[in-house]
Each structure stands twice: as structure tokens, then as C-alpha cells.
Amino acid sequence: MLHIRDAVLGDLPSMLRIYNHAITHLVATFDLEPQTIAQREVWFHKHNKNHPLIVAEWEQEVVGYCCLSTFREKPAYNKTVELSVYIDAEQRGRGIGTALLSEILQRAEQLGYHTVISGIVGGNESSVKLHEKFGFTLAGRFQEVGFKFGEWHDVYFYQLLLGQEHSSLSR
């Protein structure tokens, strides 16, 4: 059974494995070199009650994670957050992303956020469909902003306005 819970420091090796796979095989992140535990520990500690980091656990193994991060540092952006979600390569297509987004968006609403932003690299149709399922809409595209695997990539920004009629949050 899939269990969604707050991440703990002991989850870091599993989250690192998932993230490093994305670095070396996907354009979902523009990091170019695998991260170390020490680097990800710094990242881990940027999350707190106002910027939650959650994991999906299947048979006591972390199979995905999702978080809300600061969108921009200026105070007028305080009600806007950026969403990230990563799923184990062997577990994609099993509803883990849906479960994680459902939980994190409920938390975003409870925390009083107004806007959730996601950056999705061009060609990642499964991520686009996942976000659209929850009511995210295309807000814009930055052309050729990331160079990875020998080519330029566009990033599409999707946005969800919270506090409106979004019955999809319970999906």
C-alpha cells in the first residue's frame, strides 16, 4: 500500500538515488553532475513546515518525493511556491505522482499559498498531464534556457491558483 508522509533525514539516500537518476538520464533537472549526500542534506534542510517535503513509500521503500520551495526571495512572492516532484524510474505510471501532488497541494492550500508554479522541460508530457489533472495551466515558456545532453531545452511554466474552485485537488 502506498503511504505518503513527511520526509525524514533517513530518507535522503533513497531521494538522492531518485534525483541522481534524473540528473544522469532525464532533462527533468538541469543539474549536470550527480549530487552527494552532503549536497542533498543542505537542500533537505531548506524544507520546513512552511515548505514541506513529503515522500511516497511503498513496502517501506521511498519511491518518490515532492516538495514546495521558495519561488523567489523577495517578500512580495511569499504567497507563491515552486513545486517539484520526482518518481523512481521503476515506479512511474502507478499513481505515485497523483498521490504526492494531491497531498502537497492540500498542504499548500492549508498553508495559505495563493500560487503554485512548476517548471517542466519541453517533451515531458507525462508531467504536463499530471499537472493539468490538478488544474495547472500553461503560464509561459522560456526558450532554450538549459543545455543538457548536447542540446538546448525549453522550460514551460505551469501555474495553479489556489483558493479557487479546484475540485481536482481531491483526485
Side-chain angles (χ1 to χ4, degrees):
M1 182 172 176
L2 190 66
H3 178 62
I4 306 296
R5 60 171 174 77
D6 289 323
V8 297
L9 202 52
D11 296 325
L12 215 46
S14 295
M15 290 188 291
L16 177 66
R17 176 184 49 77
I18 292 166
Y19 190 66
N20 279 342
H21 182 273
I23 291 171
T24 58
H25 293 89
L26 306 172
V27 293
T29 176
F30 283 165
D31 275 324
L32 300 175
E33 298 293 328
Q35 299 269 299
T36 65
I37 283 283
Q39 288 170 307
R40 290 314 269 179
E41 191 169 340
V42 170
W43 164 84
F44 180 90
H45 288 298
K46 290 180 181 178
H47 295 90
N48 53 45
K49 66 178 180 132
N50 292 320
H51 294 98
L53 171 60
I54 60 175
V55 295
E57 192 176 56
W58 179 262
E59 296 180 358
Q60 285 143 3
E61 180 182 342
V62 172
V63 293
Y65 66 91
C66 186
C67 61
L68 297 178
S69 303
T70 301
F71 175 67
R72 299 273 163 92
E73 294 296 326
K74 306 228 186 267
Y77 290 113
N78 284 346
K79 294 295 181 182
T80 300
V81 286
E82 186 168 357
L83 179 144
S84 298
V85 60
Y86 289 90
I87 309 299
D88 183 289
E90 301 297 317
Q91 303 294 328
R92 293 187 190 125
R94 296 184 177 178
I96 296 165
T98 298
L100 285 166
L101 257 68
S102 180
E103 175 66 23
I104 206 80
L105 292 174
Q106 287 176 22
R107 290 185 185 205
E109 199 151 29
Q110 290 166 357
L111 289 165
Y113 289 115
H114 178 70
T115 304
V116 180
I117 305 289
S118 278
I120 303 173
V121 177
N124 189 346
E125 291 307 312
S126 60
S127 187
V128 169
K129 287 178 183 170
L130 174 63
H131 284 76
E132 287 177 342
K133 178 187 214 178
F134 286 91
F136 281 80
T137 57
L138 180 63
R141 173 181 79 162
F142 291 134
Q143 294 179 315
E144 298 184 4
V145 292
F147 190 79
K148 189 171 181 179
F149 301 138
E151 60 186 4
W152 287 104
H153 300 277
D154 297 348
V155 175
Y156 294 79
F157 283 88
Y158 282 78
Q159 177 178 17
L160 177 66
L161 296 176
L162 297 172
Q164 299 180 1
E165 292 297 319
H166 291 291
S167 60
S168 57
L169 287 183
S170 61
R171 288 185 187 173

